[in-house]
Amino acid sequence: RRLNPMRDLALDIQGHLNPARTADFTSLLPDELEIRGAFRAAGRIAGTLESLTGEVEVSLENVQTWRESWRRGEALFQFRQGGVEITRILLRRRAEQLTGQITVEAGGALRGRLTSTIMDVARVGSLSGAQLGGQASFRLDVQGTLRNTVTLGQVTASALSYQEIPLGPATATFKLERKAVDMDLALRDGTHRLRLSVGPPSDRSVKGELTLTDADLDLVVRVAEIEVLRAWPGRASGRILFRGPGQTAPLVSGEAEFSRVRLSQGEESWENRGPVRVSWSGPAVTLHQLLLRSAQGEFDLRGIVSEDGQSDLSVTGRLPLMALARVLPVMHPTGGIADANLRLRGRRSALEPHGTLEIQRGRFSLTGVPA
């Protein structure tokens, strides 16, 4: 009755398993790993249950971990003083590899590091649904305990894309804890910095902050599909906050504030006077404040732009006549300046102007008139 099996029974076991299940040794691995598949093992262990020593070589085939599929893998389990060191970890598929080691101490504390070769981002299972593409290498630092694991990572991408929009080189750090992800991503030589938080699989809600530092607006314009700004190349400094229920709709609502905005069209250049504030919820965008000025004058634009419902915008001040090309009836302006006092109403694809224009040095053609 005083026998303690963990301390009083001595074992000396040598043999091999073929095939076996990864479920048979997952108690030695972090919960976050979630490894599934089959393996072969051979080796020898000896000692008491609480202080085993020995080595076991493991070969894996067609395994999955971190939502990743690997063709082959191998590792060496070394048992020492109640702990286990998993070395020579190698997972491979085609030309892609993941290597490293993990140490689990007797009390359950763990540490480890894994590194990858260049990988196709679109094929990385944990990024599925993110609509990312390109080539990147990964480094993972694992710490914590078997039951509460924290993974810190670094990503270096030579060429990244989102929804097939080129983002260029990128670097990122991330933290994975309880299957929730926090990421800090730098793009375009640091002019674009994205901080992103994604909830666990049961939630998958997204919160993000994009900080722009004298950044080219082309990337924001293309991702957000702001068609009206396609003809106005520009740069800006400020931040954009957004949130949404998941990966399929991460930009459901949010707000943006810019301290500096500079837009240009041809030889004309416009800069903001005062902060620029914008918010959106679903397809409706509210422009709270936008006052732009140039050598030719200044104008104020504010109101609501809706995708399916009715939009209502006001434009007052002096601006290039070309800026109103999409909303003017009959006229197709090619140059000139306008003093505007307009209200634009209707659907975004067919806004109707109401008000007055005083045109100087105007040039335009008329629908149906060839000359």
Side-chain angles (χ1 to χ4, degrees):
R1 288 177 295 184
R2 295 179 181 179
L3 180 69
N4 185 334
M6 296 295 294
R7 187 176 60 242
D8 298 332
L9 291 182
L11 307 176
D12 189 348
I13 301 175
Q14 181 176 350
H16 65 271
L17 296 171
N18 185 19
R21 304 169 303 163
T22 53
D24 296 330
F25 66 84
T26 51
S27 62
L28 302 175
L29 301 173
D31 285 349
E32 296 281 352
L33 200 54
E34 292 187 343
I35 188 169
R36 298 191 302 273
F39 73 98
R40 303 187 308 274
R44 180 178 182 177
I45 55 176
T48 63
L49 289 175
E50 66 179 7
S51 185
L52 291 172
T53 60
E55 295 183 351
V56 177
E57 293 186 7
V58 175
S59 298
L60 306 107
E61 293 187 4
N62 299 321
V63 295
Q64 287 189 330
T65 179
W66 285 308
R67 299 175 65 187
E68 296 293 312
S69 297
W70 303 94
R71 180 70 174 174
R72 296 183 183 279
E74 58 188 57
L76 176 65
F77 286 70
Q78 296 176 303
F79 296 87
R80 300 285 187 272
Q81 298 178 347
V84 59
E85 186 173 2
I86 309 170
T87 62
R88 294 181 1 208
I89 297 174
L90 172 61
L91 299 172
R92 64 164 65 95
R93 61 186 177 205
R94 300 179 298 278
E96 299 176 351
Q97 293 186 0
L98 183 70
T99 60
Q101 67 179 46
I102 297 175
T103 299
V104 183
E105 298 177 358
L110 66 84
R111 65 184 184 277
R113 172 170 290 185
L114 300 167
T115 59
S116 79
T117 58
I118 300 296
M119 300 178 66
D120 185 347
V121 174
R123 294 179 179 271
V124 175
S126 55
L127 296 176
S128 62
Q131 302 183 65
L132 289 171
Q135 304 289 321
S137 59
F138 297 80
R139 192 185 81 181
L140 309 176
D141 291 306
V142 184
Q143 55 188 249
T145 67
L146 285 172
R147 303 300 165 248
N148 187 15
T149 306
V150 177
T151 303
L152 305 177
Q154 293 184 348
V155 183
T156 303
S158 57
L160 199 64
S161 66
Y162 174 71
Q163 293 182 341
E164 300 184 354
I165 300 172
L167 304 179
T171 57
T173 59
F174 65 88
K175 177 181 178 181
L176 175 62
E177 185 174 9
R178 300 184 186 279
K179 300 181 182 180
V181 182
D182 293 315
M183 184 178 66
D184 191 338
L185 174 67
L187 298 165
R188 304 280 179 96
D189 296 323
T191 59
H192 298 66
R193 185 176 181 182
L194 175 64
R195 294 182 176 92
L196 193 68
S197 296
V198 182
S202 59
D203 177 10
R204 272 310 187 232
S205 61
V206 176
K207 294 182 180 179
E209 176 182 343
L210 176 63
T211 302
L212 305 177
T213 306
D214 192 28
D216 189 337
L217 282 174
D218 174 69
L219 177 58
V220 175
V221 169
R222 295 181 66 182
V223 171
E225 299 180 349
I226 309 175
E227 297 296 330
V228 70
L229 290 180
R230 286 288 183 94
W232 290 75
R235 306 187 73 85
S237 296
R239 66 174 188 164
I240 302 171
L241 304 175
F242 59 89
R243 51 198 170 271
Q247 293 177 337
T248 57
L251 303 176
V252 168
S253 61
E255 57 272 346
E257 181 169 339
F258 301 100
S259 59
R260 185 181 181 189
V261 175
R262 185 171 68 254
L263 303 174
S264 61
Q265 189 178 67
E267 298 180 356
E268 196 74 25
S269 180
W270 295 78
E271 294 193 12
N272 63 305
R273 182 179 175 185
V276 177
R277 297 189 179 95
V278 181
S279 65
W280 69 93
S281 179
V285 178
T286 302
L287 188 57
H288 299 281
Q289 182 176 341
L290 175 58
L291 182 60
L292 295 175
R293 64 179 176 180
S294 74
Q296 300 295 327
E298 66 179 37
F299 70 94
D300 181 63
L301 175 64
R302 61 185 65 203
I304 299 175
V305 179
S306 179
E307 179 71 31
D308 300 320
Q310 295 296 307
S311 299
D312 191 347
L313 290 168
S314 65
V315 183
T316 56
R318 176 170 291 190
L319 71 162
L321 189 60
M322 287 285 292
L324 299 171
R326 293 172 61 91
V327 299
L328 291 179
V330 184
M331 298 171 56
H332 303 285
T334 59
I337 299 294
D339 288 318
N341 186 2
L342 292 178
R343 196 161 184 181
L344 307 175
R345 294 175 173 174
R347 297 184 180 278
R348 190 170 69 173
S349 59
L351 290 173
E352 296 181 356
H354 302 267
T356 61
L357 288 176
E358 183 177 325
I359 300 171
Q360 302 174 26
R361 301 188 306 278
R363 296 190 303 275
F364 55 89
S365 62
L366 298 175
T367 299
V369 179

